[in-house]
Amino acid sequence: MSGTSTRLTPPADAVGPVRHPDAPAPGELLGSHYEHCFGCGNGQPHGLHLQARAGEGVSVTAEFTVKPAHQGAPGLAHGGVLATAMDETLGALSWLLRVIAVTGRLETDYVLPVPVDTVLFLEAEVTAVHNRKIYCRATGRTGGPEGPVAVRAEALFIEVKVDHFIENGRPEEIEAAMSDPDQVRRTRAFEVNP
């Protein structure tokens, strides 16, 4: 991206990303981290219901179908919804690093309009890591995984501890998530960018 912010350029001493040995296998469906997440949760009737899969290295792929509830201009996806799809896909990279991370900065370029009922094929990868900073980029294509790029983004995610959510989230949701008897759901609720 030619107009990339210097805040999205890794410093010279950044290192290449390393896939965690316990990361999901390539092709594995990552699933929703939290039922009420607007990006990936099934508990949101008008949410994106984005489904991401682990890719090779430190990458993920995902698909998202633009529904009528996601439009901005008549018949076209809202730009904010497309940015959310990019953010959700980039956030899924945390599963491969096995860290908890939140979005620090997201820059999105809109290349082509995305009509309602279009399937957006998303791909994201981590490009560098520097201390708690995770640099990554993503593309969204129409017409198939090799189709024309409709949207692209670069982002900076920041590794945080679970306390970030406990201290800043609304107490009712935090308490409900923490008291879930299903240990897997309880743990996943706090594992990736909500």
Side-chain angles (χ1 to χ4, degrees), residues 8-79:
L8 291 176
T9 302
D13 58 342
V15 297
V18 176
R19 185 187 189 103
H20 193 279
D22 296 329
E28 187 175 328
L29 186 63
L30 300 178
S32 173
H33 70 96
Y34 178 51
E35 178 185 1
H36 299 290
C37 174
F38 182 78
C40 66
N42 289 324
Q44 292 286 346
H46 298 296
L48 306 187
H49 302 171
L50 189 136
Q51 294 192 350
R53 292 188 180 278
E56 298 292 332
V58 188
S59 70
V60 297
T61 60
E63 290 183 15
F64 154 60
T65 301
V66 179
K67 302 290 186 193
H70 303 140
Q71 62 190 312
L76 296 174
H78 189 289

Side-chain angles (χ1 to χ4, degrees), residues 129-141:
V129 176
H130 185 259
N131 300 323
R132 294 176 41 229
K133 295 180 178 180
I134 302 164
Y135 297 85
C136 43
R137 63 181 170 221
T139 57
R141 298 173 181 270

Side-chain angles (χ1 to χ4, degrees), residues 29-179:
L29 186 63
L30 300 178
S32 173
H33 70 96
Y34 178 51
E35 178 185 1
H36 299 290
C37 174
F38 182 78
C40 66
N42 289 324
Q44 292 286 346
H46 298 296
L48 306 187
H49 302 171
L50 189 136
Q51 294 192 350
R53 292 188 180 278
E56 298 292 332
V58 188
S59 70
V60 297
T61 60
E63 290 183 15
F64 154 60
T65 301
V66 179
K67 302 290 186 193
H70 303 140
Q71 62 190 312
L76 296 174
H78 189 289
V81 169
L82 295 177
T84 300
M86 301 303 276
D87 184 51
E88 187 67 32
T89 305
L90 290 157
L93 292 164
S94 298
W95 291 105
L96 305 179
L97 298 173
R98 301 292 293 169
V99 299
I100 303 170
V102 296
T103 311
R105 184 173 188 83
L106 174 68
E107 289 189 9
T108 306
D109 292 322
Y110 303 94
V111 181
L112 296 172
V114 180
V116 169
D117 295 326
T118 296
V119 176
L120 197 60
F121 296 86
L122 301 142
E123 188 173 27
E125 67 177 339
V126 176
T127 58
V129 176
H130 185 259
N131 300 323
R132 294 176 41 229
K133 295 180 178 180
I134 302 164
Y135 297 85
C136 43
R137 63 181 170 221
T139 57
R141 298 173 181 270
T142 59
E146 304 300 320
V149 172
V151 60
R152 63 178 160 243
E154 289 197 28
L156 170 65
F157 277 71
I158 308 296
E159 184 178 347
V160 297
K161 302 296 180 205
V162 74
D163 293 349
H164 169 83
F165 304 103
I166 295 169
E167 294 167 4
N168 297 294
R170 198 166 72 161
E172 300 86 50
E173 279 84 359
I174 298 297
E175 185 177 321
M178 291 181 74
S179 63

Side-chain angles (χ1 to χ4, degrees), residues 172-190:
E172 300 86 50
E173 279 84 359
I174 298 297
E175 185 177 321
M178 291 181 74
S179 63
D180 190 322
D182 184 320
Q183 183 177 355
V184 172
R185 275 198 316 252
R186 185 172 58 240
T187 301
R188 286 177 69 101
F190 300 101

